[in-house]
Amino acid sequence: MAWCIIPEGTSSLSSSSSSGSDMVPFEDILVQVRGTLEGASPGDVQSLLAELMEARVLSRDYCLSLTQEKDVEDLVRRISLPVWQNWEACHAAVGSALGRVQGRKASGSPLTGDLTDEERDCFSPSYHPLEDVDFCKIMDNLIQSLFDGHQGSSTGDAVAVPASPASSTEGENQEVQTDTPVRRKRGVSADTPCGDAKRTKSRSRAPTARRGPKTTKGRGRQSKRPQKSHCESTTAPETPAKRVLTFSASPGKVQISPNAVLVQHVPITPFGNGPIFAPAAGGSPVQVIQTFVPQQVISIPVSSTMVPGGPTYVLVPSPTLTASPQIMPHSPVAGTVVPPDLVVSTPVSSSSECADKALSPAPTQSPATEIPTCKESQSSIAVAPEPEKPKCVEDYIEICKAHMRDTFQITDTETGMTCQSLYVDVHLVQRQIQLKSGRNANKCLEKELVVLSDGDRRRATLSRGQVFEDAGQKPNRSIALLGRGGVGKTAMIQRLCLDWSNGDLPRFDFLFLLDCKALNLPQASFGLRTLLFDLSASPPCKDVDAVFRHVLFAPQKVLIVFDSFDDFKDYDGLLQSPATSNTKDSYSIKQLFSGLLQRKLLPGCTLLVAARPKEVLNQFLGKVDRIVEVCGFSPEDIETYVSRYFKCTSSQDRALKKLRNNGYVLSLCCNPLICRSACFLLEHMDCNKTLPSTLTGLYQEVMYHRLHMSGQKAQPTADQLRAVVPKLCSMAWAGVKSHNSLLTPKELGSGELKDFGVSSGVLAPHVLKDGKEQAGYGFAHLLNQNFLAASHLALSKDLSDKALVGQTTGQPKKRKLQAEWLDATHRFAVGLLFQKRALLQDCFPDGGGTNLLAKRSAVAAHLRGLKPCDLSSGKLLELCHCVYEAQDTKLARHLLKSMPDSLSFNGAQLDPPDVFVLWHLLLKAKTVKRTFSINLQETGINISGLKELLGLKCVTSFRASIGDTIRLWEDLHKVNAEGLLRNTMAKFTISPFKATQLSHVDDLALLVQICRDRTLPFSDPSCSEPVLDKDSLNIPAVRNLRRLDFELGPQNGPAGFSKLVTVLPDLRCLQHLDLEDNKIGDVGAKKLAEVVPALSSLEMLNLSQNCIGDEGVAKLAPALSSLPSLLRLSLYSNLIGDGGAENLAAVLPEMKSLTDLDVKYNKFTDSGAVKLSESVRDCPWMKSVGMWNHYIPHGVLERLKQQDCRIRTL
């Protein structure tokens, strides 16, 4: 057990003394105290001070200073200020004290018996604590009680608090010393009376009153004691109450004897280097800090009225600290000594921090229980034994599991099979948020995901059971499940529910599934209990109180799932007002979700939120622990689904054959919803017909069959279709514009529209639990809504051609994240306008008529007017899709002619349908005699798609992920595709190369190794005859690399640079090498000096912000002088001193090609600057030298600039 002596008056000892100022005005207290002391005798004053000291409002030393006050008004104010500051915590005791004094004044009762002899001596002006013979006994008893308290005793002397400041610092907070032990309660300061333990509020300054003292800014502030984290409050054993001793003495050394428990005061020099305190054998170490020294450090005034000329000390027990290899440094203030053998986990940087840490509540760790470190109370959950489940809880869990099995094992109405038998596991990939740099980068709400290469995607693949596994030290408590519309998010969630009901998710006792379509409730009268038990898909619970109580006791066993989050409307300001109470019923649904997401509610539970990317949840991705993307079907998954959909083998073979013969529809089937629609069409279409070649044609056929096979006994008549279909299309377009797929009862109108929509599969019901269960309706799938909305745009005569172009291309007034809402609608609209005969034309009055032709012409003119050179990669890709849906040869030729020679799709995700559209368009490039260079970096294109695009003759060069390209070469090598292998090697380019991840450096090293060894590293050793000989295995990409930007940053820069230097000698044609801000240091500079002579073509070298010092420059300078082509050298913002400047100046005359040198913001002084300027005079070929830094005197630098105008400071 360690003891510290810290300066009296630190803010940590009075963290709650400035409280409650808003309860009563200062003037009222001033009037009450003034009325009490008017006409009071000295005995009355002593009695009042004794009462306030007993109430822990005033300290004994402060009372001593008050007895020496001669001015009555000053005495009133000096008493009123601490009373006002402690009014909320001690107003009952203060009021009682003032009342008793007034009562004695009125009755004239004697004061005998109110004060003890010791108290009377205390108020004597001649009293001095060190001169009192009994003080040593008090010290012995107090320190003995401190040791007893450490051993578990609950008795001992009470907390002693800082003495009051003098009259010039009356704004300071006051505390009192008492002889009664105080047990510190959570959330209540130790100096708060147990009988009135109310929550105190801190106040930064006292009010200004007439003739009142002015409080200096900062002096009245109280430092906030750090609150216990959740894990500490739940697992830490209760610590003994802190016991503090305040005493005054001249500077010296304190020793504690382990036997007699005595405090010995040994005088030492006040400001000398005092000896480090060494306790007696077996004694407890003590740290001595003088109060008059730390004033300049922590700006807290300390009273000097107690012991003239001597400092004041406070003896407190140090917190229990875990030993670590780091030794506590000596205090930076004079007179502070620290035991040399005292080892702590956190170094103390100042005396004020020592005081704070000494008095902060620290949990005692037992050998059996280790308390985890918690940064946030909401995000850290203590490991506690799981409470036993009552019988009612176990019964409810079994009821929920049975309900889940009955709900999600239903039979599909179209196929007659259970959903479980049709389900195919989709691929899951863990995604990361792209970290942006620059000003206000972290304030941007919308987060971009890192686009993974095909190799990275394979390495980041997860199984369904790995979604909830913790990756690393941080638990995955909140998970975002992202995926495009129809990719299978809801189906996966239903499968998770079945897994839980079958016992395959044992880590969760409870699973609450919430459909956001049913949560658009405007009331603010919900609570967590209502959300989980009334608004979720869980069955009714008989004993809700008991089950909910168990949920609160074991939140780590709870999984809460929000499905279809994009259908939640009230998301504006979602994070601003989260719910904070688990039991209150006064929150909106938005507040409850915000509280769960930010761990304000039910901390420790697992939250799974399903949404589409780049839409509503995109702005909250920074708050989740894990991001998982649902990628859809692979070609193998498509075959598996088709074989399960068709029961007959012949039907399976026929369906698969038709799909393989239609490359575009097969690529579309990577989306499970479109795959299901394709199977539906294959089931009902004529066997002799082929599948449509566009997405518009596919959905036109599907929708036609659904509307004419609505599940009713008789097929709908033409009149019924004309009455229903236009209304559905109009509502669909209204929903697309408002980013909404739900329909109100007013919009549905008659029951005929609702029945027709539900029976045809266009609409789907969902349950609304607003007080009572009722059915709500919305569009079954987003693609269905998109197609119907496009039908309204193309076929409705209520919309003119100009309005069509304006509404589909103009930007909305209120910016919304629209992503898939408008993109798919645009494609469908263009496809319908260019169809020879739309199947739904008969459902609209006049079938569109002449209006349809006008719209077609307007859209065609709009597409021709777009300039592909000015479009972003995403917009260019969308334009290609619209042209493909139109199936118009003239539009395709016009687009090919207007596209730039260098096509870049960098940053746009290229899925299989996107790759097919690009391939189909570029296949026609030979008709217009065009060739292209294509950039496929950061597109996520798979290997098969890369192979298709690179096989086109119009593609003369390409850029792609190095790792994916090497895998492509390996695949081509295995299938003996010699011609394509040679072509892809010849077309591949990597210049300019930018390394932002460690994997980029690894891929570059692998490519250089292939070029150096003339062999593919992953080639099958069993292959007897290689496809290419070593002489033919030539990769021009390495030889032609001209620019390399190394941007790994300070964290990964040193490790990545160690790999980079191994490949630099092979990059002999490199002209531009940018290594800025990678913190390679002197070690990296030495490594660079060894390889840089091989870069004979290097023209620009940027080594800014790399912590290179004189040692690194000493090695680097001679190597740089050997570069014959170096034009620009930047050593901006490093650690170069006079020695490094001198070494650099020595080689400048040898660098005949160097024209620009930047050495600003380094550490060389005027001596180094003069050396450099003298060397520059001998280099007439140089154009500029940047030389400014803080260490060069301004006059010297100005003189050097006058002598040589090439020296610059900006």
Side-chain angles (χ1 to χ4, degrees):
M1 177 64 178
W3 300 92
C4 297
I5 296 182
I6 63 176
E8 183 182 44
T10 55
S11 59
S12 62
L13 288 171
S14 56
S15 61
S16 64
S17 59
S18 61
S19 60
S21 58
D22 58 340
M23 300 296 295
V24 60
F26 177 73
E27 289 290 343
D28 293 351
I29 296 179
L30 191 66
V31 171
Q32 186 175 0
V33 174
R34 184 184 292 113
T36 303
L37 295 184
E38 285 181 357
S41 64
D44 294 334
V45 175
Q46 291 182 3
S47 176
L48 175 62
L49 296 180
E51 294 273 1
L52 295 179
M53 187 172 64
E54 182 180 356
R56 291 189 292 277
V57 178
L58 304 178
S59 67
R60 184 170 64 177
D61 294 318
Y62 188 61
C63 292
L64 174 63
S65 66
L66 292 178
T67 58
Q68 301 175 6
E69 184 63 59
K70 297 181 179 180
D71 188 275
V72 177
E73 185 62 27
D74 288 343
L75 178 63
V76 169
R77 291 185 176 276
R78 292 186 63 184
I79 293 176
S80 300
L81 183 60
V83 168
W84 171 78
Q85 291 173 331
N86 294 274
W87 183 259
E88 182 179 354
C90 307
H91 63 86
V94 171
S96 176
L98 295 176
R100 281 194 291 269
V101 172
Q102 291 178 350
R104 292 190 187 98
K105 286 170 51 183
S107 60
S109 303
L111 298 175
T112 306
D114 291 337
L115 299 178
T116 62
D117 294 337
E118 184 179 352
E119 289 171 341
R120 291 194 185 93
D121 293 338
C122 169
F123 294 119
S124 173
S126 61
Y127 173 77
H128 196 289
L130 292 181
E131 296 175 357
D132 193 347
V133 180
D134 296 332
F135 181 71
C136 292
K137 294 182 180 180
I138 298 174
M139 292 283 293
D140 294 344
N141 295 335
L142 184 55
I143 295 179
Q144 181 64 52
S145 67
L146 290 173
F147 278 99
D148 294 341
H150 173 59
Q151 297 170 358
S153 174
S154 60
T155 60
D157 292 272
V159 177
V161 292
S164 165
S167 59
S168 61
T169 59
E170 292 169 5
E172 276 304 305
N173 305 320
Q174 309 302 328
E175 297 183 2
V176 69
Q177 182 176 359
T178 181
D179 295 333
T180 305
V182 178
R183 190 174 189 83
R184 191 183 302 267
K185 297 184 179 180
R186 181 180 180 184
V188 182
S189 177
D191 53 357
T192 303
C194 298
D196 193 16
K198 296 185 178 180
R199 183 172 58 89
T200 60
K201 300 180 181 178
S202 60
R203 188 172 177 89
S204 59
R205 59 189 178 90
T208 304
R210 182 174 56 89
R211 294 182 60 187
K214 293 183 178 180
T215 305
T216 305
K217 182 179 181 181
R219 291 189 174 186
R221 293 179 180 176
Q222 299 297 316
S223 64
K224 296 181 180 180
R225 182 183 293 112
Q227 297 179 354
K228 286 186 180 181
S229 63
H230 181 76
C231 65
E232 291 173 347
S233 63
T234 53
T235 63
E238 190 172 3
T239 57
K242 296 286 190 269
R243 296 171 174 82
V244 184
L245 169 65
T246 303
F247 66 96
S248 304
S250 57
K253 182 174 69 174
V254 178
Q255 294 180 348
I256 298 179
S257 171
N259 299 325
V261 195
L262 298 176
V263 176
Q264 302 174 358
H265 188 264
V266 183
I268 59 174
T269 305
F271 291 95
N273 296 326
I276 297 177
F277 174 76
S284 299
V286 175
Q287 184 179 7
V288 181
I289 298 178
Q290 302 174 10
T291 56
F292 59 86
V293 176
Q295 294 180 33
Q296 301 176 359
V297 180
I298 58 178
S299 301
I300 296 180
V302 180
S303 173
S304 59
T305 60
M306 293 162 33
V307 184
T312 301
Y313 299 96
V314 178
L315 178 64
V316 298
S318 296
T320 304
L321 300 172
T322 306
S324 70
Q326 193 169 11
I327 305 298
M328 178 189 290
H330 295 285
S331 175
V333 296
T336 302
V337 294
V338 182
D341 56 343
L342 183 59
V343 181
V344 297
S345 58
T346 304
V348 180
S349 58
S350 67
S351 57
S352 61
E353 288 188 21
C354 176
D356 289 339
K357 295 180 180 181
L359 291 181
S360 298
T364 305
Q365 297 184 10
S366 64
T369 305
E370 183 178 356
I371 301 175
T373 303
C374 298
K375 295 182 180 180
E376 299 177 358
S377 61
Q378 294 88 358
S379 61
S380 300
I381 302 301
V383 178
E386 181 184 350
E388 295 184 2
K389 291 189 285 289
K391 182 66 167 56
C392 62
V393 174
E394 294 180 350
D395 293 342
Y396 182 70
I397 293 175
E398 293 302 322
I399 293 174
C400 289
K401 291 183 176 181
H403 178 75
M404 289 290 183
R405 284 191 293 268
D406 296 338
T407 302
F408 299 119
Q409 285 184 345
I410 58 176
T411 301
D412 187 88
T413 55
E414 292 182 359
T415 62
M417 295 183 294
T418 62
C419 297
Q420 185 177 3
S421 61
L422 272 177
Y423 181 79
V424 176
D425 271 327
V426 291
H427 292 264
L428 304 175
V429 174
Q430 181 164 330
R431 301 293 298 272
Q432 301 293 333
I433 294 177
Q434 186 175 1
L435 299 178
K436 297 182 179 180
S437 58
R439 182 178 296 179
N440 299 329
N442 294 329
K443 296 181 180 179
C444 181
L445 289 179
E446 300 177 16
K447 304 296 182 181
E448 295 292 336
L449 296 177
V450 177
V451 180
L452 302 177
S453 64
D454 188 66
D456 294 336
R457 187 177 295 271
R458 292 173 183 268
R459 287 187 289 270
T461 300
L462 300 173
S463 64
R464 193 171 70 246
Q466 293 176 318
V467 172
F468 303 106
E469 291 182 358
D470 297 334
Q473 297 180 352
K474 186 177 180 180
N476 293 317
R477 298 301 187 192
S478 55
I479 304 168
L481 185 68
L482 302 182
R484 295 187 176 183
V487 82
K489 301 182 296 295
T490 299
M492 180 190 165
I493 288 175
Q494 293 176 357
R495 183 65 188 189
L496 286 173
C497 293
L498 284 176
D499 291 343
W500 173 74
S501 65
N502 295 327
D504 295 333
L505 289 177
R507 64 186 300 162
F508 300 119
D509 287 340
F510 297 93
L511 191 154
F512 298 101
L513 175 61
L514 296 121
D515 187 358
C516 291
K517 295 177 181 177
L519 297 182
N520 292 300
L521 305 174
Q523 301 92 335
S525 58
F526 302 103
L528 179 62
R529 170 174 148 170
T530 307
L531 180 71
L532 299 182
F533 293 94
D534 296 340
L535 301 180
S536 70
S538 301
C541 180
K542 296 181 179 179
D543 194 352
V544 179
D545 293 336
V547 177
F548 184 59
R549 191 181 308 113
H550 185 81
V551 167
L552 297 180
F553 285 161
Q556 70 277 3
K557 305 291 288 184
V558 178
L559 171 62
I560 304 175
V561 182
F562 285 87
D563 191 17
S564 304
F565 187 73
D566 303 283
D567 292 315
F568 185 66
K569 299 178 182 179
D570 188 18
Y571 59 85
D572 291 333
L574 185 84
L575 302 179
Q576 297 177 2
S577 57
T580 56
S581 173
N582 290 325
T583 56
K584 288 185 178 180
D585 293 331
S586 58
Y587 299 114
S588 64
I589 301 297
K590 177 176 70 174
Q591 291 175 314
L592 291 172
F593 176 81
S594 179
L596 290 170
L597 182 63
Q598 300 184 67
R599 301 177 179 88
K600 305 289 185 182
L601 291 182
L602 206 62
C605 72
T606 301
L607 187 67
L608 179 66
V609 186
R612 290 186 289 269
K614 297 184 179 181
E615 293 199 24
V616 176
L617 192 62
N618 190 64
Q619 53 188 316
F620 310 120
L621 291 181
K623 296 292 183 181
V624 301
D625 300 323
R626 167 175 278 183
I627 303 173
V628 179
E629 182 186 14
V630 183
C631 298
F633 284 165
S634 65
E636 295 78 11
D637 296 333
I638 296 174
E639 294 188 8
T640 302
Y641 185 85
V642 172
S643 62
R644 292 181 180 179
Y645 187 92
F646 295 97
K647 301 177 183 179
C648 178
T649 305
S650 60
S651 300
Q652 296 174 7
D653 296 338
R654 179 176 58 85
L656 289 173
K657 183 179 179 180
K658 287 192 175 184
L659 285 175
R660 294 190 185 104
N661 292 335
N662 192 317
Y664 184 58
V665 176
L666 181 62
S667 67
L668 289 173
C669 286
C670 67
N671 185 303
L673 176 61
I674 300 180
C675 185
R676 182 185 180 88
S677 299
C679 290
F680 171 82
L681 183 58
L682 287 169
E683 184 181 12
H684 295 91
M685 70 182 296
D686 189 353
C687 298
N688 298 323
K689 283 182 128 182
T690 59
L691 286 172
S693 58
T694 63
L695 178 63
T696 306
L698 176 68
Y699 258 79
Q700 182 177 230
E701 294 278 356
V702 171
M703 196 59 64
Y704 179 82
H705 283 84
R706 286 192 180 277
L707 294 178
H708 286 80
M709 300 171 58
S710 62
Q712 300 175 356
K713 294 182 180 180
Q715 289 188 0
T717 63
D719 294 337
Q720 289 177 332
L721 291 176
R722 292 191 189 98
V724 173
V725 173
K727 292 182 180 179
L728 286 175
C729 294
S730 177
M731 290 188 296
W733 171 239
V736 168
K737 289 192 298 182
S738 62
H739 197 87
N740 179 33
S741 63
L742 305 178
L743 300 175
T744 63
K746 183 179 180 180
E747 291 173 329
L748 286 174
S750 64
E752 181 182 1
L753 181 63
K754 178 190 66 176
D755 296 338
F756 180 85
V758 173
S759 60
S760 62
V762 175
L763 302 180
H766 59 270
V767 178
L768 290 176
K769 296 186 177 181
D770 187 7
K772 59 180 181 179
E773 291 191 6
Q774 54 182 340
Y777 296 90
F779 288 96
H781 301 291
L782 179 60
L783 283 175
N784 291 348
Q785 183 178 0
N786 292 145
F787 180 81
L788 293 176
S791 300
H792 174 76
L793 295 176
L795 304 177
S796 175
K797 65 178 183 179
D798 297 333
L799 198 67
S800 65
D801 53 342
K802 293 182 180 180
L804 169 64
V805 176
Q807 291 197 29
T808 57
T809 60
Q811 295 296 327
K813 295 181 180 180
K814 183 178 180 181
R815 184 174 182 273
K816 287 182 180 290
L817 300 168
Q818 294 185 338
E820 298 180 61
W821 288 86
L822 282 178
D823 288 349
T825 304
H826 291 167
R827 298 180 194 179
F828 282 133
V830 173
L832 288 172
L833 287 173
F834 284 85
Q835 290 280 336
K836 294 181 180 179
R837 175 69 180 174
L839 296 180
L840 297 184
Q841 275 187 254
D842 295 336
C843 299
F844 287 82
D846 299 333
T850 57
N851 196 21
L852 180 63
L853 297 177
K855 292 178 181 179
R856 181 186 302 173
S857 301
V859 170
H862 171 72
L863 294 178
R864 291 192 189 97
L866 295 176
K867 298 180 179 180
C869 298
D870 300 336
L871 299 179
S872 63
S873 56
K875 292 296 183 181
L876 179 58
L877 183 62
E878 183 59 28
L879 176 60
C880 294
H881 272 284
C882 289
V883 171
Y884 178 80
E885 291 295 326
Q887 293 288 290
D888 188 89
T889 305
K890 293 181 180 179
L891 280 178
R893 288 173 61 89
H894 181 273
L895 177 59
L896 285 170
K897 289 180 180 179
S898 59
M899 284 198 304
D901 294 333
S902 297
L903 292 177
S904 177
F905 296 97
N906 193 325
Q909 181 77 31
L910 292 183
D911 293 327
D914 305 320
V915 175
F916 183 90
V917 168
L918 290 178
W919 174 83
H920 185 270
L921 182 64
L922 295 177
L923 194 62
K924 301 178 181 179
K926 62 182 179 180
T927 60
V928 294
K929 299 179 181 180
R930 290 292 309 275
T931 58
F932 301 97
S933 173
I934 187 168
N935 184 0
L936 300 174
Q937 287 185 311
E938 297 185 7
T939 59
I941 185 172
N942 56 28
I943 300 300
S944 61
L946 192 61
K947 179 181 177 180
E948 293 294 331
L949 291 180
L950 300 184
L952 296 172
K953 293 182 179 180
C954 65
V955 177
T956 56
S957 65
F958 75 96
R959 293 172 57 84
S961 167
I962 295 178
D964 292 347
T965 305
I966 293 176
R967 282 194 60 233
L968 173 64
W969 293 342
E970 177 66 17
D971 292 344
L972 295 175
H973 182 274
K974 290 179 180 179
V975 298
N976 294 331
E978 178 181 355
L980 187 55
L981 179 57
R982 289 179 185 273
N983 288 337
T984 54
M985 285 185 175
K987 294 177 181 180
F988 186 47
T989 179
I990 60 174
S991 183
F993 181 77
K994 180 183 290 187
T996 57
Q997 303 175 22
L998 286 173
S999 60
H1000 295 167
V1001 184
D1002 295 334
D1003 292 341
L1004 178 63
L1006 181 59
L1007 183 65
V1008 171
Q1009 180 185 347
I1010 295 173
C1011 188
R1012 183 191 303 153
D1013 300 340
R1014 299 295 181 91
T1015 181
L1016 293 174
F1018 304 115
S1019 296
D1020 188 359
S1022 63
C1023 184
S1024 58
E1025 295 183 2
V1027 177
L1028 298 177
D1029 55 19
K1030 291 188 176 182
D1031 294 333
S1032 300
L1033 196 63
N1034 188 18
I1035 304 176
V1038 177
R1039 184 175 63 252
N1040 298 331
L1041 181 59
R1042 298 290 187 268
R1043 174 167 181 160
L1044 193 155
D1045 295 332
F1046 188 75
E1047 300 180 1
L1048 265 67
Q1051 184 174 1
N1052 297 323
F1057 184 75
S1058 300
K1059 300 178 181 179
L1060 181 65
V1061 293
T1062 62
V1063 303
L1064 283 179
D1066 295 277
L1067 308 178
R1068 300 185 181 277
C1069 297
L1070 192 64
Q1071 297 176 350
H1072 184 112
L1073 180 59
D1074 191 344
L1075 302 172
E1076 183 176 357
D1077 195 21
N1078 288 284
K1079 304 298 182 286
I1080 63 175
D1082 289 337
V1083 176
K1086 293 177 183 177
K1087 294 179 180 179
L1088 181 62
E1090 297 175 358
V1091 300
V1092 77
L1095 305 177
S1096 57
S1097 301
L1098 193 63
E1099 297 178 357
M1100 199 287 290
L1101 178 61
N1102 186 0
L1103 293 170
S1104 303
Q1105 303 182 59
N1106 273 298
C1107 300
I1108 300 175
D1110 293 346
E1111 187 178 352
V1113 173
K1115 296 290 184 180
L1116 192 59
L1120 294 176
S1121 64
S1122 64
L1123 296 176
S1125 304
L1126 188 63
L1127 299 176
R1128 297 181 299 277
L1129 174 64
S1130 176
L1131 290 165
Y1132 172 91
S1133 187
N1134 279 286
L1135 305 176
I1136 303 173
D1138 290 333
E1142 185 175 353
N1143 289 328
L1144 194 60
V1147 301
L1148 282 182
E1150 303 176 16
M1151 305 174 70
K1152 302 295 184 180
S1153 62
L1154 187 66
T1155 59
D1156 298 286
L1157 173 66
D1158 189 355
V1159 288
K1160 295 192 295 292
Y1161 287 95
N1162 278 281
K1163 290 191 173 183
F1164 55 84
T1165 62
D1166 53 346
S1167 175
V1170 171
K1171 292 286 185 182
L1172 282 174
S1173 62
E1174 293 175 352
S1175 179
V1176 171
R1177 293 195 195 104
D1178 299 332
C1179 304
W1181 56 85
M1182 294 189 67
K1183 297 180 180 179
S1184 65
V1185 179
M1187 198 181 293
W1188 186 91
N1189 67 57
H1190 294 283
Y1191 299 91
I1192 304 175
H1194 179 72
V1196 173
L1197 191 58
E1198 289 297 320
R1199 186 179 75 251
L1200 295 178
K1201 288 176 59 179
Q1202 293 176 0
Q1203 294 174 357
D1204 193 337
C1205 62
R1206 295 174 295 174
I1207 297 177
R1208 300 176 181 178
T1209 58
L1210 298 178

